[in-house]
Amino acid sequence: QFDDPEEQREWEATTALDNEIANNSIDTLKSYTGNGTTKVQLFESLPLGSYVDSSGVEENGDSFNVRYSNVSEDIDGDALDRAIVYDAVAALSVYEDLNTVNITVHEQYDSEYETDIYSFERTMLEQLLSDASGGSITQLNSSLFESGDQWNAVRDLV
């Protein structure tokens, strides 16, 4: 417990988001693999899913854009970054035809022009995960959902 109500709110919002990452079910992710659901449905099931405002596939079909709007200002920046990376890694693992995930974040009380834009390329994330895992994770695809331990290793690196 914190004496300062603002610190308490920040701790609660940050802890809730970290728990969403930790508790995002491998079974949920598996259920989106190859079943024809829309990508926006996947993003709505991920951490930050309650903030999905708009989304769409780019013309070439291998890039997906998602916008999170009105994201709570109480969430710590590091937790927000972890959730953004987790969401991108999960999407690239579920949808093997995707090469890029672009995420726009608009935080609560910011002007419409104050947004952060993140772009995740499959090859970049695969290289980073490979380096961080000592080469044990080299590809983002549905094979990562074959065991809880395998997906947990990915989650732990995020």
Side-chain angles (χ1 to χ4, degrees):
Q1 294 288 7
F2 295 91
D3 293 331
D4 180 355
E6 184 177 336
E7 286 182 12
Q8 183 67 34
R9 273 194 327 273
E10 288 173 357
W11 180 82
E12 288 173 2
T14 299
T15 301
L17 185 57
D18 281 337
N19 286 340
E20 282 187 60
I21 295 168
N23 297 323
N24 191 251
S25 166
I26 189 174
D27 293 327
T28 299
L29 295 174
K30 278 186 202 178
S31 74
Y32 287 97
T33 304
N35 76 353
T37 57
T38 65
K39 291 173 179 67
V40 72
Q41 290 171 309
L42 169 69
F43 275 92
E44 289 172 343
S45 76
L46 296 172
L48 298 176
S50 63
Y51 300 107
V52 171
D53 180 40
S54 63
S55 62
V57 177
E58 290 188 9
E59 285 182 33
N60 63 5
D62 71 345
S63 296
F64 188 75
N65 303 315
V66 65
R67 177 182 172 91
Y68 296 125
S69 291
N70 211 26
V71 175
S72 173
E73 68 177 355
D74 291 330
I75 299 171
D76 173 75
D78 289 341
L80 185 58
D81 289 344
R82 283 189 297 275
I84 290 165
V85 172
Y86 179 86
D87 288 2
V89 167
L92 290 168
S93 298
V94 169
Y95 297 109
E96 296 176 30
D97 59 331
L98 275 183
N99 285 318
T100 306
V101 174
N102 299 304
I103 298 175
T104 302
V105 178
H106 176 256
E107 292 187 56
Q108 189 177 29
Y109 307 121
D110 282 352
S111 80
E112 188 58 31
Y113 304 104
E114 291 181 77
T115 59
D116 296 312
I117 300 171
Y118 303 83
S119 185
F120 298 95
E121 298 284 332
R122 174 181 294 282
T123 55
M124 174 194 68
L125 284 176
E126 287 176 341
Q127 184 62 54
L128 290 171
L129 287 169
S130 177
D131 291 349
S133 69
S136 66
I137 301 166
T138 59
Q139 290 187 323
L140 294 175
N141 56 43
S142 60
S143 70
L144 296 172
F145 307 141
E146 290 175 2
S147 77
D149 290 342
Q150 199 164 7
W151 183 248
N152 288 339
V154 172
R155 184 192 335 253
D156 291 346
L157 291 173
V158 170

